[in-house]
Amino acid sequence: MTSAQDGKFFQRGKTEELRAELQAAEGKDKKYIKRKTALKKIVANITMGNDMSPLYTDVVHCLGTPLLEVKKMVYLFLISYGRSKPEQITYVIPNFLQDCNDRNPLIRALAIRTMSYIPIPSVTDALAETLRHCLKDRDAYVRKTAAICVAKLYVADPRRTEKAGYVEMLRDLLLDSNATVVANAVAALSEIAERHDGVSFQLNLVVANKLLAALNDNSEWGQVYILDALLRFVPQEHADAEIMAERIVVQLQHANSAVVLTTIKILLYLMNYVENRRLIEHICKKMGPPLVTMLSSGPEVQYVALRNILLIIQRRPMVLKNDVKVFFCKYNDPVYIKLAKLEIIYRLARAENAPEVLAELQEYASEVDIDFVRKAVRSIGRLAIKVEEASSACINALLDLIDTKVTYVVQEAVIVIRDVFRRYPGRYEGVIPKLCEHMDLLDESESKAAIIWIIGQFSDRIDNADDLLDDLVYTFLEENVEVQLALLTASVKLFIHKSQKPSVKELVHKVLKWATEEIDNPDLRDRGFMYWRLLAINPATAKEIVLAEKPAITTDSDRMDRGALDQLLLHTGTLGSIYHKNPETFIRGVAGRSLPDTPALNNHSRAVLISTGRGAQYMNPPISVAAGPIEPSAGPSTVGNQAPSSPEADERLLPSGSDGQDADTSIDKDRDADEHAAPTRPPAPMDVNDPYSNLDGAFGGYIADGPRPMQNRGQNNDLDDLLL
Amino acid sequence: MASLIAILDLKGKPLIQRTYRDDVPASYVERFLPLVLDFEEEGQQVTPCFSSQGIHYLHIRHSNLYLLALARRNTNAAEIIIFLHRLTQVLVEYFKELEEESIRDNFVIIYELMDEMMDFGYPQTTESKILQEYITQESHKLEIQARPPMAVTNAVSWRTEGIRYRKNEVFLDVIESVNLLVNANGNVVRSEILGAVKLKCYLSGMPELRLGLNDKVMFESTGRTARGKAIEMEDVKFHQCVRLSRFENDRTISFIPPDGEFELMSYRLSTPVKPLIWVEAAVESHKGSRVEYLVKVKAQFKRRSTANNVEIFVPVPDDADSPKFRASTGSVQYAPDKSAFVWKIKQLGGGREFLMRAHFGLPSVKSESDFDKRAPISVKFEIPYFTVSGIQVRYLKIVEKSGYQALPWVRYITQNGDDYSLRTASEKGSAPIAPI
């Protein structure tokens, strides 16, 4: 098709001139060329953002022109300005109604579609009248347009639309002979049901099967609407879910990724109601390849896929279990893709593939993008913590990286090595001298706090620990609180180890004095007082408390809570699945979703079920999304600083909290012991009103996979759990 | 569903936009670019979907334009992003180029298309061929006006009836793209074959087509034995015209094709691939003042095939200057904008091997801690009459009720994918790898 040359109309037009032009066109105007030109100028001005509403009556006057193009431009004008002229629009309504009865279905549909975009009472009234006929129009094109109009009408006036029986008429359209009409009716009904005040829209087996029959005759978009609606089918028996899953599994072969992701959403949902293990395995096996194929699409689709994959493999680890390599980054991948892949790589890493993964991470650690490099380095440390077999190789890799002397690389390495020390006590302390050599490169508080923790913790083995600390303490008052806390605890530890040295005594005294007298931060001050008393009253007890044995850390618990995952996966492919948040937490007035509890629900899924009452959303204050639930790509410096907003955060090894934990864990020794003895951890305390309160930090950032105490080891490793 | 779709220039100025729902004020379009800039300033990644003040921004780039969708609800992100790509595709097919100028020149028809392609935020008809039947430049008298083609609501939503060709022909291209990553030590880390079967259909009426491939699963399920090699596709994706249920039942690929050009199917194989074109580069830097490269290329495929238009991109330091090249075949050019030199070989015969040398001066002396990370070597090539997977079209049956004879033409080609790269060994003199 050749291009028009209407660019010339993009000139700011004065309304008087344009009006004059339109009026002139009422005279002799062969083929209505003048009128068309004038209208184009007006539409061009609307496009440029100029107010053309003063021309309302003149433009409407053109409706009599027997030219489709003119009609469309006038309608476009009405969509833009109709609502601002409620009195004058009544003059247009007869034109609309005339068009609604036109012989040409294109015109009929155009008329109701345009009317439905002008939500003022007089138009809505007229539309309501004529829509009744249009929903039964002989032409499918009109019916499919009318179906969507019902949804629009519902938004304008829910109660009336329902009373007038339109919702019922939509339900009738579900059985329409034309598949496109069925799909649009499904979309409209789903939309209506989605509203918290909406009508209910459940599918029984008969209707669900009818919809499935229409699936293959639909365009790709129609397929998305129908598949999406299958979430409203609640299996009462295992067989219901199994048959349905088998019927839709073939849609995974569709070229459109939206169809594929929606299919995956339904499959994941149905699998909660499937009993047959073989079928579950079969479906899991089928889901992997299409997900991998999406990685060959454009970066935007890839990104959606990657964020979803991260959720899916936590719930169904069988999917993509052996596919870590496909997530290896391409050199030219956008950084947001690389970061998303990195998280998946880490999650898929196990003893068998650890050497390849490590080699790849090392490659990334020398790339250009700083953010990516930092996270790659951090991942090497996390790999050491996750996969014991690979820990020595990872430590070697980290030491090589420290040799590069690139500051941000060294800082990241020091931070993760501290965690590695806690995971494998007594194994890698030999590398401490090397870390200390590069102390002068550390200029960020997180890494400083890490090296200070290391020096304090192992001050009995570091000969010149007192000199090192003395240097670090020099800037005590200028440091931020994270570093100050670390310095305070480290000097106390040093004192306990080397109390006989006068210089050490002097040092600890100096720090305690600063912390208690010069500092305003209550946390720091109180801790200073506590240490001081402890040391003064009974140095032996102080030793027991400050140097108490710490629980080792692990990454076993880094998977998201199963019940929460089940819930989040009901939103596969949507924005929520990208932000890793349930929509009711970021959209006002949206009803939450949960797995309906029926006899067919798996015991495994029921055990972790989080149900959302329909009223729950009112209790949830919509969170402010100023910064937005954007992809958690907060800078690395904030990673460790996340406020302990979730219960888990307390257990997480926060850099600033690690010192606190020394004290905490030992003071609360009894509690700790109990937890160790208990095979499973009691569920994290939750805000009763907010079932997601414990999710908050769980996906906040990179630290979501950060090491945590080894309390619930084994809880998630049950094979059944992986499968069902 | 989207509340608003807009096309913006790179400065964030909306060129054209259409509101579909009242829940997002149109003015939010202008907040898009400032938000993007803010993210960039804060060192955050700008992802294809982000949210601010309860509004969700989904966007793609096309040459010098942003295509943006705004939403307030928990939208199906995949659907909207793909819709934006489809919109781009339709506009390109309408106007050849999609750019600021063509948008201004065709704004009236773009409004019409936006009205037709999406309703209340729900994507509707996005097939450009079908749209072109009733949304056109020519003015329609209301008397003899366009009607919605049957295809809009038909089960066959991609083809219209009454197409006539004097000569009925189908051209079939089987194109395989190889993606491959080779480590500095010469091991293949990752490889995959992305295949596509593209059709150009010039057929009259409503023809039924059936495509037969040497598909291993099909042979196994029908109990037939393949003559020659059969291939195992890991994942197959079909154009919406293919009847998926039939494929699921007996692996038959049957369809009524759209008219003209389209991609019938794509497939993926992750069987290990030997690098068809092997490149290795030895790099020697002399006291940081000059650097030398010795590049070897080897065609590792059968002698009867030839690779055409081979281009080997070897990255060099950003500030490299005064290039000197010597190649045993082809030509070499320095591409400073890409920080690389390109060795071009028009024809590279199977089994052949060539060498080239490059020499650069390095004006700035590098400090020892300078972290010089070079991009991998990347290669472009095309090998006609050859598929690396061994896929073959066994038949393409064409049946139309008028009973005409149609000729299918098949062509095969293997080429580089978007990531055919070989990592170079770290430069001599860089930090030695110390054992613990």
Side-chain angles (χ1 to χ4, degrees):
Chain A
M1 185 164 282
T2 50
S3 173
Q5 306 208 317
D6 290 345
K8 54 182 182 285
F9 297 125
F10 280 80
Q11 281 172 10
R12 196 186 175 88
K14 288 205 181 95
T15 48
E16 306 89 73
E17 287 170 15
L18 290 168
R19 178 176 294 133
E21 216 172 303
L22 271 182
Q23 281 162 358
E26 283 173 30
K28 199 178 164 215
D29 188 8
K30 207 181 168 197
K31 288 187 178 167
Y32 308 101
I33 286 175
K34 286 187 199 158
R35 190 167 290 187
K36 250 167 57 185
T37 307
L39 280 173
K40 278 188 181 177
K41 283 183 185 168
I42 293 167
V43 174
N45 269 282
I46 298 176
T47 308
M48 288 186 288
N50 301 330
D51 182 20
M52 291 285 117
S53 62
L55 293 171
Y56 190 87
T57 37
D58 308 270
V59 172
V60 165
H61 210 72
C62 299
L63 262 184
T65 318
L67 216 56
L68 183 57
E69 206 183 349
V70 169
K71 188 186 287 295
K72 284 191 173 176
M73 282 195 276
V74 177
Y75 278 1
L76 186 71
F77 185 93
L78 287 174
I79 291 175
S80 307
Y81 298 116
R83 75 191 64 187
S84 61
K85 309 268 180 188
E87 307 83 33
Q88 290 166 27
I89 197 122
T90 42
Y91 304 116
V92 191
I93 288 175
N95 289 71
F96 277 137
L97 293 179
Q98 197 188 335
D99 282 355
C100 290
N101 291 312
D102 197 280
R103 283 188 303 132
N104 186 340
L106 198 68
I107 305 283
R108 294 202 293 276
L110 182 65
I112 54 169
R113 194 164 62 218
T114 306
M115 287 169 87
S116 64
Y117 279 122
I118 309 171
I120 54 175
S122 55
V123 181
T124 315
D125 287 349
L127 175 63
E129 230 12 81
T130 186
L131 199 54
R132 205 176 292 278
H133 304 291
C134 293
L135 284 165
K136 291 180 179 155
D137 198 285
R138 62 186 180 282
D139 194 290
Y141 181 75
V142 180
R143 291 202 301 278
K144 77 139 190 165
T145 310
I148 298 284
C149 282
V150 174
K152 294 185 218 174
L153 218 54
Y154 194 93
V155 172
D157 190 347
R159 292 287 82 82
R160 207 180 102 183
T161 312
E162 211 181 322
K163 257 197 201 143
Y166 288 114
V167 178
E168 280 318 302
M169 290 178 80
L170 266 188
R171 287 186 205 273
D172 294 344
L173 284 188
L174 292 183
L175 306 173
D176 198 282
S177 58
N178 183 290
T180 310
V181 175
V182 173
N184 271 8
V186 166
L189 272 172
S190 304
E191 157 111 32
I192 290 170
E194 197 92 328
R195 296 168 55 100
H196 58 80
D197 57 351
V199 295
S200 100
F201 175 34
Q202 297 284 330
L203 298 178
N204 60 26
L205 195 56
V206 179
V207 181
N209 277 326
K210 183 88 177 81
L211 292 186
L212 278 179
L215 195 63
N216 290 323
D217 288 343
N218 245 299
S219 78
E220 45 196 339
W221 308 116
Q223 296 199 5
V224 172
Y225 309 145
I226 290 181
L227 285 166
D228 199 61
L230 291 180
L231 216 50
R232 301 176 182 279
F233 168 71
V234 181
Q236 299 298 330
E237 291 170 30
H238 296 308
D240 294 352
E242 288 166 6
I243 293 167
M244 182 114 359
E246 277 169 354
R247 282 188 71 176
I248 63 166
V249 92
V250 62
Q251 298 304 125
L252 293 174
Q253 246 66 65
H254 203 289
N256 185 321
S257 305
V259 174
V260 176
L261 272 176
T262 311
T263 306
I264 286 178
K265 166 162 73 178
I266 303 304
L267 289 174
L268 289 166
Y269 162 66
L270 291 173
M271 275 152 83
N272 289 303
Y273 299 88
V274 171
E275 197 187 26
N276 183 343
R277 278 178 93 103
R278 300 251 317 264
L279 181 61
I280 291 181
E281 274 173 49
H282 172 74
I283 296 172
C284 284
K285 237 171 91 187
K286 282 270 191 179
M287 280 195 310
L291 285 170
V292 174
T293 300
M294 276 185 226
L295 301 183
S296 324
S297 2
E300 299 91 3
V301 173
Q302 269 192 66
Y303 179 69
V304 176
L306 288 168
R307 295 294 292 168
N308 277 286
I309 289 171
L310 189 56
L311 292 177
I312 294 168
I313 57 175
Q314 291 181 70
R315 178 62 182 88
R316 303 282 173 189
M318 260 179 67
V319 182
L320 301 172
K321 196 173 88 200
N322 298 316
D323 287 313
V324 71
K325 278 185 185 179
V326 304
F327 296 100
F328 287 177
C329 301
K330 297 179 180 172
Y331 188 77
N332 295 324
D333 278 338
V335 176
Y336 63 83
I337 295 283
K338 289 186 178 177
L339 293 172
K341 283 184 174 173
L342 199 54
E343 290 192 55
I344 294 172
I345 292 174
Y346 164 73
R347 217 169 268 282
L348 291 176
R350 11 187 202 117
E352 292 88 330
N353 59 25
E356 291 162 84
V357 169
L358 176 61
E360 197 62 17
L361 292 175
Q362 281 178 284
E363 197 71 40
Y364 303 158
S366 61
E367 280 208 15
V368 184
D369 186 89
I370 295 181
D371 206 19
F372 180 56
V373 170
R374 280 177 175 269
K375 284 176 180 165
V377 176
R378 209 168 264 231
S379 297
I380 295 176
R382 289 166 65 210
L383 182 64
I385 292 165
K386 181 178 178 184
V387 181
E388 185 160 4
E389 292 85 340
S391 59
S392 295
C394 290
I395 286 283
N396 283 344
L398 288 170
L399 292 177
D400 289 346
L401 287 168
I402 287 175
D403 277 329
T404 63
K405 298 194 179 68
V406 178
T407 51
Y408 52 88
V409 170
V410 176
Q411 316 222 41
E412 287 298 327
V414 169
I415 294 166
V416 283
I417 288 178
R418 176 203 50 200
D419 292 345
V420 175
F421 286 156
R422 285 208 49 193
R423 169 71 173 86
Y424 306 108
R427 206 181 295 178
Y428 297 114
E429 282 79 359
V431 309
I432 291 175
K434 181 129 188 185
L435 301 184
C436 295
E437 271 170 43
H438 296 85
M439 219 165 66
D440 49 332
L441 290 173
L442 310 178
D443 55 9
E444 286 165 17
S445 37
E446 194 184 355
S447 58
K448 264 192 187 172
I451 191 78
I452 293 166
W453 183 88
I454 292 170
I455 294 172
Q457 186 65 25
F458 304 105
S459 51
D460 52 336
R461 306 192 204 178
I462 307 172
D463 290 338
N464 59 343
D466 43 339
D467 294 337
L468 293 172
L469 261 187
D470 199 45
D471 282 350
L472 287 161
V473 156
Y474 191 72
T475 50
F476 184 86
L477 292 172
E478 287 98 70
E479 298 291 354
N480 84 5
V481 68
E482 183 183 359
V483 180
Q484 287 173 333
L485 282 169
L487 280 171
L488 174 63
T489 308
S491 32
V492 172
K493 284 177 185 166
L494 173 72
F495 175 71
I496 289 171
H497 280 306
K498 301 185 174 172
S499 50
Q500 61 285 25
K501 263 192 162 180
S503 63
V504 170
K505 213 178 238 174
E506 208 176 289
L507 174 77
V508 74
H509 188 257
K510 184 165 66 184
V511 172
L512 284 172
K513 213 169 151 57
W514 274 334
T516 51
E517 288 173 11
E518 307 272 333
I519 301 286
D520 290 331
N521 183 305
D523 194 13
L524 189 56
R525 209 175 46 211
D526 287 359
R527 202 178 291 182
F529 278 125
M530 186 196 73
Y531 280 138
W532 204 329
R533 302 253 159 86
L534 214 48
L535 293 175
I537 293 166
N538 188 343
T541 319
K543 181 175 181 183
E544 238 171 78
I545 291 172
V546 178
L547 295 178
E549 201 174 311
K550 278 165 275 300
I553 51 169
T554 172
T555 52
D556 274 359
S557 61
D558 63 6
R559 268 203 286 150
M560 255 172 74
D561 178 64
R562 265 258 329 252
L565 268 174
D566 278 340
Q567 212 175 8
L568 201 45
L569 285 171
L570 295 174
H571 302 286
T572 301
T574 67
L575 291 170
S577 72
I578 294 170
Y579 307 146
H580 290 187
K581 282 191 166 140
N582 281 307
E584 60 271 29
T585 63
F586 63 89
I587 297 170
R588 198 190 300 261
V590 169
R593 277 186 195 163
S594 59
L595 291 174
D597 192 358
T598 76
L601 187 64
N602 272 325
N603 288 333
H604 293 86
S605 300
R606 187 177 292 121
V608 294
L609 184 66
I610 299 174
S611 54
T612 11
R614 263 211 138 181
Q617 72 269 15
Y618 300 116
M619 292 180 236
N620 271 339
I623 58 157
S624 105
V625 276
I630 189 183
E631 137 79 343
S633 56
S637 57
T638 64
V639 160
N641 291 337
Q642 288 192 348
S645 53
S646 69
E648 269 115 325
D650 301 336
E651 300 163 359
R652 196 184 293 152
L653 184 78
L654 288 171
S656 60
S658 55
D659 302 304
Q661 224 162 0
D662 296 351
D664 282 344
T665 43
S666 26
I667 289 167
D668 263 351
K669 250 184 181 167
D670 294 344
R671 189 202 69 182
D672 242 357
D674 278 345
E675 284 191 4
H676 278 296
T680 51
R681 185 170 58 116
M686 279 192 283
D687 179 350
V688 234
N689 291 338
D690 181 5
Y692 316 103
S693 57
N694 65 334
L695 296 187
D696 217 89
F699 331 114
Y702 203 64
I703 198 83
D705 307 321
R708 301 184 197 161
M710 213 188 280
Q711 287 163 356
N712 45 357
R713 182 156 233 203
Q715 187 200 8
N716 282 331
N717 285 353
D718 168 14
L719 188 74
D720 268 350
D721 173 64
L722 301 190
L723 193 57
L724 288 168
Chain B
M1 73 267 349
S3 297
L4 187 155
I5 302 277
I7 305 179
L8 288 70
D9 66 13
L10 282 190
K11 294 190 199 98
K13 196 176 77 153
L15 299 170
I16 197 164
Q17 66 188 57
R18 169 69 202 257
T19 301
Y20 295 99
R21 284 169 176 259
D22 289 334
D23 57 359
V24 176
S27 58
Y28 276 78
V29 171
E30 285 169 44
R31 300 193 188 183
F32 168 70
L33 200 70
L35 281 168
V36 167
L37 296 177
D38 282 353
F39 285 133
E40 279 170 0
E41 205 161 294
E42 287 161 23
Q44 295 212 41
Q45 292 300 320
V46 181
T47 54
C49 322
F50 62 84
S51 103
S52 167
Q53 298 182 333
I55 307 290
H56 307 283
Y57 298 75
L58 298 97
H59 60 102
I60 65 167
R61 268 284 289 275
H62 176 81
S63 59
N64 282 336
L65 300 170
Y66 289 107
L67 283 93
L68 172 69
L70 301 186
R72 194 181 274 281
R73 306 166 48 121
N74 187 32
T75 295
N76 184 334
E79 172 191 293
I80 296 305
I81 283 173
I82 293 169
F83 176 80
L84 292 176
H85 282 293
R86 287 292 154 79
L87 177 63
T88 312
Q89 205 178 321
V90 166
L91 295 180
V92 167
E93 282 177 42
Y94 261 79
F95 314 122
K96 291 203 178 69
E97 306 262 348
L98 176 59
E99 55 191 12
E100 196 171 335
E101 199 187 331
S102 63
I103 290 173
R104 282 178 189 276
D105 277 343
N106 299 282
F107 65 100
V108 175
I109 202 161
I110 295 177
Y111 278 126
E112 285 185 37
L113 286 169
M114 285 175 130
D115 194 41
E116 194 61 44
M117 292 175 66
M118 183 174 255
D119 193 5
F120 205 37
Y122 293 100
Q124 301 288 319
T125 307
T126 52
E127 289 288 317
S128 147
K129 278 270 154 45
I130 301 302
L131 288 164
Q132 286 184 22
E133 283 182 37
Y134 67 115
I135 297 185
T136 54
Q137 305 278 355
E138 298 101 60
S139 325
H140 294 288
K141 279 267 181 60
L142 277 175
E143 291 311 304
I144 36 159
Q145 62 204 203
R147 289 177 168 259
M150 285 297 286
V152 173
T153 51
N154 231 12
V156 182
S157 60
W158 52 87
R159 186 182 180 95
T160 196
E161 295 192 32
I163 296 171
R164 285 282 167 266
Y165 285 99
R166 204 185 303 168
K167 195 173 175 190
N168 290 295
E169 284 180 307
V170 183
F171 298 91
L172 226 147
D173 280 336
V174 180
I175 301 164
E176 293 197 334
S177 307
V178 181
N179 281 323
L180 169 112
L181 176 63
V182 178
N183 241 347
N185 56 17
N187 293 334
V188 177
V189 179
R190 174 169 54 89
S191 69
E192 65 176 357
I193 303 166
L194 299 174
V197 178
K198 296 188 176 171
L199 258 65
K200 283 189 197 117
C201 264
Y202 307 113
L203 296 171
S204 310
M206 282 297 215
E208 279 281 347
L209 272 63
R210 223 167 69 219
L211 175 69
L213 301 171
N214 54 341
D215 171 14
K216 194 170 175 187
V217 181
M218 195 267 294
F219 284 130
E220 279 168 3
S221 65
T222 54
R224 273 184 285 176
T225 42
R227 273 176 297 158
K229 192 185 168 198
I231 66 149
E232 197 170 0
M233 295 177 279
E234 188 168 328
D235 188 34
V236 194
K237 289 271 175 288
F238 291 107
H239 185 273
Q240 55 172 329
C241 68
V242 177
R243 297 182 184 93
L244 293 180
S245 45
R246 282 207 62 185
F247 180 73
E248 182 75 0
N249 285 341
D250 55 9
R251 303 284 282 195
T252 306
I253 303 169
S254 82
F255 55 100
I256 298 173
D259 189 38
E261 252 183 280
F262 71 103
E263 183 174 305
L264 175 71
M265 61 181 281
S266 62
Y267 55 91
R268 187 169 52 78
L269 286 89
S270 47
T271 39
V273 189
K274 186 173 157 196
L276 295 166
I277 298 199
W278 175 262
V279 181
E280 59 187 43
V283 188
E284 199 170 352
S285 100
H286 300 276
K287 296 184 185 113
S289 66
R290 60 197 176 88
V291 59
E292 275 185 291
Y293 296 83
L294 176 63
V295 184
K296 186 167 94 179
V297 60
K298 195 172 163 193
Q300 307 191 106
F301 44 83
K302 293 217 173 76
R303 280 183 190 283
R304 62 167 185 268
S305 292
T306 302
N308 294 338
N309 303 322
V310 179
E311 294 185 12
I312 300 160
F313 292 79
V314 183
V316 297
D318 289 336
D319 55 354
D321 65 7
S322 48
K324 277 180 223 145
F325 303 116
R326 212 170 63 224
S328 57
T329 187
S331 65
V332 191
Q333 276 165 357
Y334 182 32
D337 52 322
K338 294 192 182 101
S339 295
F341 63 85
V342 192
W343 183 11
K344 293 183 181 172
I345 305 170
K346 267 259 173 293
Q347 292 200 310
L348 180 62
R352 303 295 299 273
E353 201 178 309
F354 294 101
L355 284 175
M356 70 91 45
R357 281 175 192 282
H359 178 282
F360 290 89
L362 295 172
S364 53
V365 178
K366 272 185 288 178
S367 70
E368 205 180 316
S369 68
D370 199 352
F371 219 48
D372 181 29
K373 174 60 190 178
R374 275 158 302 120
I377 294 174
S378 58
V379 186
K380 289 185 180 170
F381 61 88
E382 289 169 8
I383 310 173
Y385 317 112
F386 169 77
T387 54
V388 63
S389 69
I391 195 171
Q392 268 180 345
V393 174
R394 291 168 49 238
Y395 59 83
L396 180 67
K397 288 191 178 138
I398 303 158
V399 181
E400 216 275 334
K401 57 175 186 283
S402 65
Y404 59 73
Q405 291 290 311
L407 276 181
W409 303 87
V410 186
R411 205 161 52 162
Y412 300 96
I413 192 164
T414 293
Q415 61 187 25
N416 63 291
D418 63 348
D419 188 45
Y420 187 104
S421 44
L422 305 99
R423 285 173 178 157
T424 42
S426 56
E427 204 171 312
K428 280 177 198 166
S430 69
I433 293 151
I436 185 164

